[in-house]
Amino acid sequence: MIRAGIIMLLGLWASACAASADSYSSEHYELRLVPVAEGLDTPWGLAFLPDGAMLVTERDGPIRVVGADGVIGEPLAGTPEVYDSGQGGMLDVAVDPNFAETGLIYFSYSEPGGDGAGTAVARANLDRAGNRVEDLEVIFRQAPKSSGGRHFGSRLAFAPDGSLFITLGDRGQRDRVQDFSINRGQVIRLWPDGSIPEDNPFVGVEGHRPEVWSHGHRNPQGAAIHPETGALWIHEHGARGGDEINKPEAGLNYGWPVISYGRHYSGDRIGAGTEKEGLEQPLYYWDPSIAPSGMAFYNGDRYEAWQGDLFVGALKYRLLARLELDGERVVKEERLLERFDERIRDVRQGPDGFLYIVTDSGDGGVYRLEVVGP
């Protein structure tokens, strides 16, 4: 009787979601955006557990488990204090690739201390039954911390070799990005326990930090591993224009703030202009800025025409950008969900093959993008 009642309630919940879903058109599909979990307070990051449940971070500090049925759990106990100011707070979350054996989750956050805050990454065991994390260990701290609430970066991505990439923003200190002795505007590469891979490009190089993979980034809030090549791709916020997609390679410098396709908010030119010898060009850029956040390659089986495409959320223009690729070239951009009119903070492919988006507001949510017609 109890089981039958639960099944009936889940059926009612699914019917309610379908009834409240909105339809949208794209070049290839008629789409429906189905609410999975609503009423979240400024959600930022999303990661899927093996059973289809989700970990969702809220910027003011909580991490919640959202069941595959959409039920939102209470905040996990045992998470660290965060610097909840400006763009800071609890940020990205990732599940260990070997979660079934390790039970580990990883999360990035703005850690208070000293003169302000800095991006930190911790790992901990997830105790679902106790709704808590245990044996928390901080595996990375941005050095030095600084005042202000801008540009923490903070996306996490596991590479095929098991190493962990971490994106760091410039903390609003663009004049310090080309100082390689500190952590500003970089991609970091570590082993999951926080140790430094011996093949990192700056191991043993004087004046450089050994955890650094690449330099010269502004504020990368998107990171994804290419499903075929295994390479890391990121995107980063420009200033007034100049949002970029890059494929960071070991030891290379991506130019901020020496080159950019945007301008300062004052309207002044940035650095030397759009190019300079020794500095890398982006694979793609937006001008004017769309304020990108969240990033996912699609390789599922729910949208056949989108196989191999790259999806990027946008905060300023409130859309989901679909980018068609030819190798490493973006050959076409389609802008989806503009009528939805919500800031899209994250986008992920779920284990069911659907795309999921996270909306950035005090009444934010997780939504599933379904196909309703050809």
Side-chain angles (χ1 to χ4, degrees), residues 37-88:
E38 297 181 297
L40 294 161
D41 187 3
T42 320
W44 208 95
L46 168 68
F48 286 91
L49 293 164
D51 66 353
M54 293 162 276
L55 294 170
V56 181
T57 62
E58 292 178 305
R59 206 170 61 196
D60 61 352
I63 302 175
R64 298 179 188 268
V65 177
V66 176
D69 58 1
V71 174
I72 301 172
E74 292 297 315
L76 294 175
T79 58
E81 178 187 1
V82 303
Y83 176 81
D84 177 23
S85 179
Q87 297 169 5

Side-chain angles (χ1 to χ4, degrees), residues 20-25 30-33 337 339 370 372:
S20 61
D22 291 323
S23 296
Y24 301 87
S25 295
E30 289 297 318
L31 302 167
R32 178 173 60 205
L33 200 56
L337 307 184
R339 189 164 51 82
E370 297 183 355
V372 294

Side-chain angles (χ1 to χ4, degrees), residues 239-257:
R240 205 175 80 180
D243 301 335
E244 296 182 358
I245 293 178
N246 287 299
K247 185 172 75 72
E249 297 186 22
L252 298 186
N253 189 329
Y254 290 81
W256 178 254

Side-chain angles (χ1 to χ4, degrees), residues 241-315:
D243 301 335
E244 296 182 358
I245 293 178
N246 287 299
K247 185 172 75 72
E249 297 186 22
L252 298 186
N253 189 329
Y254 290 81
W256 178 254
V258 182
I259 60 172
S260 173
Y261 282 87
R263 287 185 172 268
H264 291 303
Y265 295 112
S266 65
D268 293 341
R269 173 175 162 166
I270 294 173
T274 59
E275 58 184 274
K276 187 175 180 179
E277 186 177 355
L279 302 179
E280 303 304 309
Q281 287 290 302
L283 300 181
Y284 190 70
Y285 69 91
W286 287 273
D287 187 17
S289 168
I290 65 168
S293 188
M295 186 178 196
F297 288 97
Y298 186 73
N299 66 341
D301 58 5
R302 299 289 186 171
Y303 327 94
E304 184 178 353
W306 291 353
Q307 278 280 339
D309 291 351
L310 181 64
F311 290 81
V312 173
L315 302 170

